[in-house]
Structure formats: C-alpha cells, structure tokens
Amino acid sequence: MRNIMRHTLSALWVMLGVLFFSSCVSQKKIVLLQQEPALGKHASADELLKTYELKQPVYLLKPGDVLSLKVQSTTPSEYDFLSKGGAGSSGPMLDGYTLDSEGNMLLPVVGKISLHGLSLPQARSKVTTALQPYLTEPTVNLRLLTFRFTILGEVGGQGQYTTYQDNLNVLEAIAMAGGFSPYSDRGRIRLIRSENGQAKLYTISLLEDKTMATQNFYLQPNDMLVVDPLPAKFVRENVIGNVGLTVGLVSSVFFLISRLTQ
C-alpha cells in the first residue's frame, strides 16, 4: 500500500514539473543585444533577406473628419486671420476644423473649401491655393485628428488610441498599446473594420513576413484589433494551478491513510 502511494505521488509531482517547465522560455531567446548569444542561427545585420512592396492605403477625407490646420506666411500677424488657429482652445479636437456634411472646410474670410474625397496632400494643395489671394506665400500644414483605433486582448495596455499618422500599420499600433503580452497569439490577430454600414472581420498573422505586403497590414480610422491569448495561458493559469492543488490534496489523503493504517 505504501509503495503504491509513493509511486502515485512521484508520478503526480513529475507531471507537475513537466507542465511547469514546458511553459518556460529560455532567457537566451528573450534578452536583446547579448554579448555572446548561444543561438544556433545568427542573422547578419547587413544581409538583405527579402523585399516587399508595401500597399499603403491612401486615406480620402470624408464628412465628419477633423483636421488640424497650421498656416505660416509672410503676412503681418495683425492681418493674418488664421494666426490664432482653429475654432477652439480646449484641446486638439476642438482646435481643428470639422468637415461638414458635404465635406467642406469652413475658413474665416475664405469661406467653404470642398475637401471631400481628397487625400491629405491634395487637400493641402487646395487649401494653399484658396489662401493665396489673402495671405502672402502661405505654407500649409494639414493633419488628420480623427484617426482613432481600438486594441483589446493580450497587449500591454488595452484601450482606444489616437494617432496623427494616416498610414499606421499593425505593428506600430500594437507598439502604441504597450506591445504584446507573454501569452499573445501573434499568429491570429483579428481586425474588425466598419465599411459601408457593415462590420467586416479579418485575421492577420504577424508570424509571417509576407503580411507586410497585404493591404490590411495598414489600419484605417476606427479599426479594432483583438489579440487573443495562446492556449499556454489557460494551461499556466488553470491547469497547472489545479494540478498543484490536486497533488496537495492527494498527498494529504495518502498521508492520512498511511497514518490510520499503521
């Protein structure tokens, strides 16, 4: 009886040890810029591996977009009607110019400028042309203030983020959210995008370098990223803990039985 209990306990402890060590990762595969990395394969920093043509989308302005407009000119400040910025002073969104239902930007003195369907470089050029009769040598800086995205799941900081870039990619978005957690599934990231009144679901794998050449590698305003956990997280947080509890209970029971049978 005692031999059976002893073998059973040994088997349980071995199982717990295997589960624990299988969830560990060597520090040699995590620590950056090591002096003498003991890895089987080394990469050369000057060796070009592959080249991909990036499919950066061109964002076209639409009604409801908020734009930051900064204008510099040689016109004296007392005659520069845009020297004080936008319509408010309580933050970037209120300081910007909101395109109306027809995609027009309303500027003092100048009036309406239609920017609907234009890219930012095209809109910048059109605003510059509209300002030339009123300002001397205007230089226009136009930026989109309403590029927001949401990221949830296994990242450092879940939430909604705003960027002033109009060509943000998935890697940059995850970096803004604090990077991956130890148990994030980098091979299956879900992208939820609203298009024409529909919610469309895509999956992205960041384990494949060819993902950089896909259109969905770049985000669009109001996109949502969901990073799911790896199965190892469930094993680490539930199975290993339950196995440890089971081993403890079985050990206690066997100890009581051994004491009672003496």
Side-chain angles (χ1 to χ4, degrees):
M1 181 66 178
R2 291 183 179 179
N3 289 334
I4 294 176
M5 289 190 295
R6 186 179 301 111
H7 292 314
T8 303
L9 287 175
S10 299
L12 289 173
W13 282 113
V14 169
M15 183 185 302
L16 181 62
V18 170
L19 288 172
F20 177 79
F21 286 107
S22 64
S23 63
C24 298
V25 179
S26 172
Q27 289 295 310
K28 289 292 185 179
K29 297 181 180 180
I30 297 178
V31 179
L32 302 178
L33 303 178
Q34 302 176 49
Q35 184 175 357
E36 296 180 356
L39 298 178
K41 296 181 179 180
H42 294 272
S44 174
D46 297 325
E47 180 183 356
L48 177 63
L49 298 179
K50 292 181 181 179
T51 300
Y52 291 103
E53 293 293 332
L54 299 178
K55 299 180 180 179
Q56 296 185 4
V58 177
Y59 183 74
L60 303 180
L61 297 174
K62 61 182 185 298
D65 283 342
V66 181
L67 300 177
S68 167
L69 175 63
K70 303 296 182 183
V71 180
Q72 293 179 328
S73 71
T74 57
T75 302
S77 59
E78 60 265 26
Y79 301 109
D80 187 351
F81 53 89
L82 293 176
S83 61
K84 294 184 179 180
S89 59
S90 299
M93 294 294 291
L94 296 179
D95 284 339
Y97 293 87
T98 302
L99 303 189
D100 64 18
S101 59
E102 297 179 350
N104 298 317
M105 172 186 280
L106 180 60
L107 295 181
V109 180
V110 179
K112 291 183 178 180
I113 305 175
S114 178
L115 303 180
H116 185 228
L118 300 183
S119 65
L120 282 175
Q122 292 172 334
R124 187 179 300 113
S125 176
K126 190 169 184 178
V127 172
T128 301
T129 301
L131 291 175
Q132 285 174 346
Y134 306 96
L135 300 176
T136 305
E137 299 179 356
T139 300
V140 175
N141 183 10
L142 204 62
R143 306 182 76 176
L144 182 66
L145 296 180
T146 47
F147 197 122
R148 294 187 295 267
F149 67 93
T150 303
I151 184 164
L152 301 171
E154 294 297 316
V155 292
Q158 304 180 84
Q160 188 177 77
Y161 293 85
T162 301
T163 177
Y164 298 138
Q165 295 178 240
D166 58 343
N167 57 350
L168 186 77
N169 63 49
V170 176
L171 287 173
E172 292 170 327
I174 292 174
M176 288 180 63
F180 288 114
S181 74
Y183 293 106
S184 60
D185 188 349
R186 296 155 172 83
R188 186 177 174 81
I189 298 172
R190 288 179 288 168
L191 169 64
I192 303 173
R193 176 171 294 161
S194 298
E195 294 180 331
N196 301 321
Q198 296 178 327
K200 297 184 178 181
L201 180 64
Y202 304 91
T203 56
I204 300 171
S205 173
L206 291 180
L207 299 179
E208 304 177 67
D209 52 10
K210 63 182 181 181
T211 300
M212 294 185 293
T214 62
Q215 291 182 345
N216 287 335
F217 182 61
Y218 288 89
L219 298 185
Q220 295 182 13
N222 301 315
D223 277 353
M224 178 179 293
L225 293 173
V226 180
V227 183
D228 291 327
L230 289 168
K233 181 177 182 180
F234 176 81
V235 174
R236 186 67 178 267
E237 294 183 353
N238 296 279
V239 176
I240 292 180
N242 292 335
V243 169
L245 179 61
T246 302
V247 170
L249 291 175
V250 172
S251 301
S252 300
V253 171
F254 281 172
F255 176 75
L256 291 174
I257 293 175
S258 64
R259 296 292 294 178
L260 292 174
T261 55
Q262 286 182 353

